[in-house]
Amino acid sequence: MPIETRQFACLADNYGYLIRDRETGAVAAIDTPDVGAINNQLDAAGWRLTHILNTHHHWDHAGGNLALKDKWGCKIIGPKAEAAQIPGLDVAVGDGDMVMFGASKATVYDTPGHTSGHIIFHFAEDAAAFVGDTIFAMGCGRLFEGTAEQMWASLSKIAALPPQTKLYCAHEYTQANAAFALSVDPTNPQLQSRAREVDRLRAEGTPTIPTDVAIELQTNPFLRAAAPGLQAALGMSGASAVEVFAETRRRKDNF
Ligand code: ZN
Ligand code: FE
């Protein structure tokens, strides 16, 4: 396992992640939601920040870039299509690019929808993907800048990763997402049992992230636009996956 991951809750409902390449000791922050929390985690681990990997330009993802760069002199890698909006960006990357992080490597995928230039980082050897605000446990990001067609294509890229791939999402939205998912996919037995499990975990204050591709394929309504049970519950039997996805997203916006 070339990378070691340190996960921490910060701000209202964000997760921050620090990853360390075991071979070289390189350390990256995945996004920069909270400078104080990131520095505390670095201190606690005895790690020095060498990289920032940004998924998109929102303040709770790139807002800490300059303060961290100032302190650590780290290299900032982020989305080419949002280059002008990523503070301190050094290396702009896009779909299919390979990012070297120490001796570890990640493949970049463009996942527009939440923002127009959102990217994710897939560390194939570690079966891990840092997905920002594209997918959440049983949910997906709001369409602030992109279209339903774009987001469906972006989510389809994540759905096509190996099923055991861990998905490191940027927010703990799981319990609210489960309530919505049950409203559109009420007959899904895996979803019913997952929702109960999530209630139990959250009652203890346990994170429900990371999730993985396999469980999202079974329970995330935004990946299940072609599932007959979900289509029937929406009154959209036989509709195209994109249409069903778009309607599901609209309903979630008003849930
Ligand atoms: Zn965002
Ligand atoms: Fe966010």
Side-chain angles (χ1 to χ4, degrees):
M1 294 290 282
I3 63 170
E4 179 179 354
T5 300
R6 195 174 168 104
Q7 173 172 349
F8 51 96
C10 58
L11 304 179
D13 50 32
N14 281 72
Y15 285 119
Y17 300 101
L18 291 173
I19 60 173
R20 180 175 174 277
D21 174 54
R22 293 176 197 271
E23 198 172 320
T24 63
V27 174
I30 307 296
D31 288 330
T32 56
D34 183 331
V35 172
I38 290 168
N39 282 325
N40 287 340
Q41 292 289 326
L42 288 164
D43 286 350
W47 293 354
R48 301 184 57 81
L49 190 68
T50 57
H51 295 72
I52 290 169
L53 305 182
N54 284 128
T55 61
H56 65 294
H57 68 82
H58 284 159
W59 70 273
D60 63 318
H61 298 263
N65 279 17
L66 292 182
L68 288 166
K69 189 173 188 176
D70 195 46
K71 178 175 163 93
W72 297 99
C74 51
K75 182 197 267 193
I76 302 183
I77 300 170
K80 195 181 285 180
E82 295 178 5
Q85 296 159 282
I86 305 290
L89 185 69
D90 295 300
V91 182
V93 293
D95 210 45
D97 285 346
M98 194 68 83
V99 168
M100 284 309 297
F101 161 62
S104 298
K105 52 182 188 291
T107 304
V108 174
Y109 293 95
D110 285 340
T111 59
H114 177 67
T115 61
S116 60
H118 196 297
I119 58 173
I120 66 169
F121 297 90
H122 178 221
F123 288 82
E125 277 182 65
D126 292 272
F130 294 91
V131 295
D133 288 354
T134 295
I135 191 168
F136 299 115
M138 294 175 275
C140 75
R142 275 180 189 263
L143 303 181
F144 286 121
E145 298 176 9
T147 65
E149 287 76 10
Q150 286 176 319
M151 189 58 137
W152 175 249
S154 296
L155 291 171
S156 299
K157 291 180 186 177
I158 293 171
L161 295 175
Q164 74 280 12
T165 307
K166 285 201 163 61
L167 301 174
Y168 291 87
C169 315
H171 294 271
E172 176 65 59
Y173 290 157
T174 309
Q175 206 164 18
N177 286 343
F180 171 73
L182 284 167
S183 78
V184 289
D185 199 9
T187 60
N188 179 339
Q190 286 105 337
L191 173 58
Q192 292 163 357
S193 67
R194 189 181 188 191
R196 283 192 297 272
E197 173 68 2
V198 162
D199 286 343
R200 191 184 66 72
L201 290 170
R202 294 311 294 155
E204 310 176 330
T206 304
T208 63
I209 305 297
T211 177
D212 66 36
V213 170
I215 191 162
E216 293 311 314
L217 287 171
Q218 291 178 337
T219 59
N220 189 323
F222 298 101
L223 298 184
R224 292 173 48 74
L230 185 142
Q231 291 200 347
L234 292 173
M236 297 182 76
S237 295
S240 75
V242 175
E243 287 170 328
V244 175
F245 169 75
E247 175 61 17
T248 307
R249 187 60 254 179
R250 264 193 297 276
R251 290 193 187 206
K252 176 67 165 67
D253 290 342
N254 298 305
F255 186 68

